[in-house]
Each structure stands twice: as C-alpha cells, then as structure tokens.
Amino acid sequence: MHVPDGFFDAPTSVATGLIAAGAVGFSLQRANREIRETGPALAGLTAAFVFAVQMVNFPVGAGTSGHLLGGALAAALVGPWSAVLVMSTVLLVQGLLFADGGLTALGTNITLMGLITVLVGYFLTRAVLKALPRRVGSVVPAATVGALVSVPVAALAFTGLYAIGGAVDIPLSKLATAMVGWHILVGIGEAVITAAVLGAVVATRPDLVYAARHLQQDLVLVDADGNTSTVSPDRPIAAKPAGRSLGVGIAVTLVVAGGLSLFASAHPDGLEFVGAKLGFETAAKSSAAAGSPLADYGVSGIGNSEVSGALAGIIGVLVTIVLGLALAKLASLRANKAS
Amino acid sequence: MSGPAIHVERLVFAYPDGRQALFGVDFTVEHGERVALLGPNGAGKTTLVLHLNGILGSVAGGTGSGGIQIGGTGLHREHLAVIRRKVGLVFQDPDDQLFMPTVRDDVAFGPANLGLRGAELDERVHEALVQVGMQDHADLAPHHLSFGQRRRVAVATVLAMRPEVLVLDEPSSNLDPAARRELADILSELDVTLLMITHDLPYALQLCERSLLMDDGRIVADGKTRDLLGDAELMSAHRLELPYGFDPLSVSGPER
Amino acid sequence: MSGDGLLVAVDSRVHRVPAQVKLVALFVFVLAVVSTPAPVFWAFGLYAAMLVAAVVVAKLPVHVVSRRLAVETPFIVFALLLPFVATGPRIDVLGLELSQSGVLGAWNVLAKGTLGVVAAILLSATTAPRDLLAGLERLRLPATLVAILSFMIRYLSVVSDDLHRMRIARESRGYAGGRVGHLKAVAGGVGGLFVRSFERGERVHLAMRSRGYTGRMPLLSQAGAVRSQWLEGLTISLLAVLIAVMARVVGL
C-alpha cells in the first residue's frame, strides 16, 4: 500500500501531509514520557523490527503474497503514540533510503499505514480486552481482532482518498471491493502474525506488552532471610484506565470505515472532476469492463453499481469485525477451559 | 578515596515478570583488585553487575532491596550520575553497546554526556581508542568491524569515561584466540579496579587473582582464583568445568 | 540489509553536497514533478534528462539504479491496469479497447512515480546514513524522531541478520511446509524476533544509561552548508520548478 509520488493529486497530498504532521507532533508530545523512560533505542529497534518483518511475505492466495503492515502490533506492544512514531519512522526510512513510497506521498502513507492502522488497531484491542477475562494473555485475541480489522479499514481509507484525489477515474465500487476484499485476506495474515508475535511476547516477557500493563499480577519476593512478601510490579508507564476505549474504538473505526464509505457512495462521480481538469470531456457513466483483472477480487454478485460497491466495503469491514470478535470469544473460551 | 571500590549488602531483586534473580548477595571489592565473577548460566551474574551502576534495582524503580556502595558513595537516586561515571560497564554483546553511527560518535557518547565538548572531547576519544588500539578505525560504522574489534571499541566507549571500576560481562566470549589474547593484554595494562564475569576459567586465572562464585542468586564461594579452580568438588557442584588438560596449579597467574 | 549498504562509495560532486541541501533539493524536485500536468510530455522529458545527468555526475552504475527501481513494481502493475478499468471515452490501441483517461492516468502514475523513485535513489546512493541523519537534524526534524531513526538504521542490519539466521535454521532442519505451515512458521519466527529485538532495545538503553544518558542525544551536525553549496545542490530542483511553472503556463 506504499503510495508513490503523483498517485494522488496535490491537495490530497498536502491535506494528508498536514494530518500526518499533526499526528506525529501530537504523538511526540504524548509519547515523550514513554520515550524518556524506555529510551529511543527501544522505539528504534521496534521500528527496525517492523521494517524487517515487512520484508517477509506470506502467501495470501491466488499465487500472490502480502506482507505485514504492523500498525496494530506495534500499538499493542509499545502503545499507540510510540507506535505512530515507529510507523512514521519506518515509512520515512522506506521513502528516503529505499525509495519505497514517494516523498510527497509520505503524508498519505503515514496517514494510511502509520495512523489509521495504529489507532483502529489499538482502540479495538482495548475495547475487546474489556470484554475478555482480566489476564495478560487476553491481549492476544484482542490484538488479533485489532490487526484483522485495521488493515481493511486502511484499505477503505485508501479508497476514500482515491475518491477525493485519485489521478484517474475508475469506478469506486470496483476499487472499494477490490481493495477491501484483498486486504481482508492481508488482514487475516496480519492477524495471524500479530497473534503469534504477541503470544511469544506474553509467554516470555508479559511485562513488555503495553496494552496489557494494567493486567499484570503482583510479584512474590523472597528476601535475604527467606521471608516472602508481595509487591506490585513496577509499571514505568501505567496504561491509562480503559474507561472510554470501547466507545473510542468503535467511534474511530466507524468514522474511518463508515465515513469514508459514505463519502465514496455519496460522490460516485467525484472522479470525473479530475478527468475534466486534465482537459477531457468525460461521460459520467460506469461502463465497467466486467472480467477485468481488478474485478476478479470483487465480491461476486455485487455488481457494478457504485452504491453496492461502497456497501461491499462497509460490509467487508463489518464482517471482519464480527469474525474477529467471534474468534476472540472462541480463543478466550478455550483459554478459560485450559486454565 | 574512602571505602572499598564495591560494597554490596543483602541484595535482592526480582524481574518484572516475577522471576527472582538475586536472593541476598554480599561481597566487597577493594581498590585496585581484579576479581572474576564465575558461575553457571542463570546464576544471576549479569543481573548483579547491572545493579552496580543503578541500571537495575530499587534505585531504578525495580523490585528489590539491599544496599550498594561504590567508593564509599551509597547508590541512591541523587548520586546516580556520579556512580555511573565511576562504574564502567562493558556489555557482553558489543552490538548492544555500539549504537551510534560511527566508532568516534560512540566513544564520544559517554564523555559528551559528562559535559565534555570540542577539543577536550576529541582528545578523550582519541586517548580511549589508543588504549585499545583502534585509533585508525574511528570513522567506520560499527558493523563494518570484526567482532573482536567491536569488543575492543566497546571497552573504549567505557574507558573514555575514565571509570574507577571496570565491569566486563564475558569479555572473551566469541573471540578467536588472537583477539582473546589481545584483549587480555589490553585489560592487564589498565589501572582500574576490575570485575569480570566469565565462563573462560583460564582467562579468569590469567587476569584475576581473586574470584567470586555465584549460583542461584547467591555468592557461594569467595577466594583466590587458583584455590577455587583447584577445588574439584566445589567446581562440579556448580556446573563449572576446566578445559581439557588444564591444570590451574601448574600455570602462572597474576600473583607475583 | 544495512542502512549504508545503499551508499555507492565513490567521490563525486553529488556526494559532496551537504545532506540537508540534498534533502531539500529532493523534496522541491519531486514537488515540482508532481505538480506538473500529465499531458505536458516535454516537461517530463526534461526532468528525466536532468536526473540522468545527475546520476552520471554522481558516478552511479546504471545497474544499481535500475535494480533499486524494482520497489516500484506493485504500482506499475496498478498503472498498467488503469487503462482497462477506468471510465470515460474509449480509444482503440492494437485492438484493445482502452479508457482514454486511464491511459493518461497510467502515464501520470508511471512518469511521476518513476521520477520520484530515481530522485530518491540518487539521494540514498550518494549520502551516508550518518550524514542523512545530521541533515535531518539540521532541517529541524524533532530530536526524538532523529534519535529513533538513528537507532533504527543502526540496528536494521542486526535485526535483518537475526531474521536471516532464523530462516536458515528453519530450512536447515528440513523445513518445507505447505501454505498454512509456512504462515505458522513465519509467524512463530517473527514472534521470537520481536522478543530478541525488544530485549536488545532494552539492553541498548541500559548501555546508554550506564554511560550517562539522561534523555538528550549528542548532536550529529557539523558545519552548516554555505550559500554556494545550496545553489549547487538546488540547481536541478530550481530548474524543475521553472519547468513546472512553464508547463502550467505554456503547456495547457
């Protein structure tokens, strides 16, 4: 999903650039305390990790592969604000050193992959965590849901941005179904890897998982004379109580998913504007080339109408959420039985 | 200078994941002594030395109790800066220690934090690099050096702070024989108090007159390195083994 | 993969331009390219000619540049699909019915994307990572971000090597695996990789604190760039801005 230069028009690039700059600035402010305590080295290594893992491809199907985005994972591990910084750093290095993602599209890339995946992932994780037993291990199914949903939502946001500032007018319905359909698959891979990573971390260093810091158990200490005492574990950065996280989680997801979809469906011909600007007479008509390669990814049966396509996007995200919640429920049931 | 170089009393510590690593550690190291810290894996050796400059332990907000004094100065939050200047810690993996873009930046990191700037800083960096024989590699990136060279630069990063106590975590691990000997030559030339974790028992005998033996989070033996290594019963009880054919009584040690 | 594996270590005029100048130059250049209307073909020809000239002056081997262009592939695929799926009037090309705006859009994405990628390659191939960090610092990027960037670049090779070793360990034990097995193996390895990376991050932080770190990284910057260096470094970018303006005025 790394957007190159010239993919979106200038206003979109500038607008997302401003969003990204604001988000990074805000995150810097919020993460300052975390970073003072744990050091920039930790954030830098998390970034190096995300970068390395993005190079590992996993098979998605139809002979193609996807790779981890890592936003939800990073958020669960180091907290949302550090995660925004981590993801932005990864994208900056990819843009500057590896020419992956355009420099003028940096704002767009940070907004899509550094901001939306992190926030949707994190707040959904916290929300699901509230519904699960109060154990550190619960963070695994919770973050799995966050990861699963965060990717298609980012894909939907990409579609929304394309509706606003895409360089060419292609039917939004097709783009939405293709992007979301495709990224649900990527999201499943993302969810599996997120679960595996968090599982490994919870098994060896449960104290490292930011999203579960408040669930840690007390420690038993034996002193030099053999006396035992119980102490609470040190919490360098106590996670904030998850009071409003359910609301925020759902709100963020719905604003991003619903809002953008609604926009996409309400402005089915928003793209013609671009064509007109380029000096062409455009007939506002979706003469969709059925059987075109992109349409292959679409949800079959939902045809060519713009609205149904955008609906497919929303439905896709909703299905993912339901699927994820069901998975989480299942996982926690099994975990309860086991313990 | 008042008080011993290192004085540790009733030190207890548990990691945040609930694993307790230290169960009451006591020992004293005098100025100018060279002491090896021996023991099997998981005995708590690294945990112990991370306490010596207040990185772990209650002073760093961790879970534990007990007291540490360095050169007579108690390890308290308000003395942390002083203690960290006095105690230089060389980590086992040089990649953990060399985090700046070039060797020069890295050696300068510590002294710069002490407030040195400009020519004074450059001089300090050069001096430390000369001590480990790496002055010709100052502008290279750390990952362009061999492992032995990185280990030597890691020592230089600490020497640049002119510590009173030098603490090394397995300095000879992963070194080829030549690099191992070169490092021994460097270490034996230094005029500091030395505490060295090692599994390399001949190395301990070569460099340190005295040894501490640690197991299960406690000091279980404290004496002359030669005596400890010669005590077969003690050695096998704590999973320590001499290399094939090595007789601690027949080789020369640091004692004169 | 290490950060400075990207640097082509030769000495050239481009290599000697201070990093902050090159960063600004890259940004201005790409901005000019992106704001040029797609149908003004001659403008893109000029941009490309200037970039080629810069690559020659920088003494970069052609195969290095062309190999690194591969990052663009996914979007080339996207661009090539555009003529088929875009709406609007159709034109016939070799018997295929293509969308006129789709063809232009494909050109737009390909031309601008490729120019941006080549420009970025020019920067990374002529600038050592340390200088790049110093340049970003000079350009007032927040210190925390510079610090995170610095650690990331330093440890990229270490983490990638870990990953590589784990893959070799897996394969040397005869691992083949189907699709599901593959995903599981990859995921499990990645979990271990994170714990390793994270613990290294903690140890690095400990190493920093034991050398007196109190929250402020030492500055990397040396001398600032002088005016002649700014002028030299920005030549191409300023020309590009001129071309972009002319393309707007004359081109349409």
Side-chain angles (χ1 to χ4, degrees), chain C residues 3-229:
Chain C
D4 63 347
L6 295 168
L7 176 69
V8 176
V10 291
D11 188 38
S12 79
R13 284 183 80 94
V14 184
H15 284 73
R16 282 194 297 271
V17 174
Q20 62 267 37
V21 177
K22 278 189 269 193
L23 280 164
V24 173
L26 171 63
F27 194 70
V28 172
F29 178 81
V30 180
L31 218 54
V33 170
V34 169
S35 56
T36 307
V40 191
F41 299 112
W42 59 266
F44 293 97
L46 287 179
Y47 295 143
M50 290 196 300
L51 272 189
V52 169
V55 168
V56 170
V57 172
K59 300 178 190 165
L60 300 182
V62 176
H63 66 93
V64 170
V65 177
S66 53
R67 205 171 52 229
R68 290 187 198 169
L69 270 173
V71 294
E72 224 198 339
T73 317
F75 278 88
I76 294 181
V77 174
F78 190 97
L80 292 181
L81 287 176
L82 281 176
F84 297 96
V85 297
T87 56
R90 304 263 131 189
I91 49 171
D92 270 351
V93 180
L94 302 172
L96 291 170
E97 193 190 272
L98 302 178
S99 153
Q100 204 171 352
S101 66
V103 172
L104 193 67
W107 154 255
N108 185 52
V109 168
L110 276 184
K112 292 178 177 176
T114 309
L115 288 170
V117 170
V118 173
I121 291 171
L122 196 61
L123 172 76
S124 62
T126 62
T127 316
R130 186 195 185 283
D131 298 338
L132 202 62
L133 291 170
L136 288 170
E137 190 178 84
R138 280 241 152 225
L139 294 176
R140 301 274 187 280
L141 195 73
T144 311
L145 272 187
V146 176
I148 298 177
L149 264 174
S150 157
F151 284 106
M152 176 184 169
I153 291 174
R154 165 67 182 87
Y155 287 104
L156 214 67
S157 56
V158 178
V159 174
S160 305
D161 284 353
D162 278 351
L163 190 69
H164 184 63
R165 275 198 300 275
M166 288 159 78
R167 190 175 62 79
I168 291 185
R170 205 164 59 227
E171 285 173 5
S172 64
R173 276 176 283 164
Y175 170 77
R179 180 178 294 160
V180 178
H182 183 73
L183 189 56
K184 260 166 78 181
V186 167
V190 169
L193 184 68
F194 178 79
V195 175
R196 278 195 199 195
S197 305
F198 205 102
E199 291 188 335
R200 186 184 295 280
E202 287 184 315
R203 288 197 303 273
V204 171
H205 187 56
L206 298 182
M208 290 166 68
R209 287 200 353 220
S210 66
R211 281 196 274 155
Y213 173 76
T214 51
R216 191 189 295 269
M217 294 292 286
L219 291 181
L220 295 162
S221 312
Q222 288 130 359
V226 294
R227 184 182 297 190
S228 62
Q229 284 173 315

Side-chain angles (χ1 to χ4, degrees), chain B residues 142-155:
Chain B
H143 62 267
H144 287 168
L145 303 175
S146 74
F147 193 87
Q149 288 174 323
R150 269 182 282 167
R151 173 75 44 77
R152 272 148 65 187
V153 173
V155 174

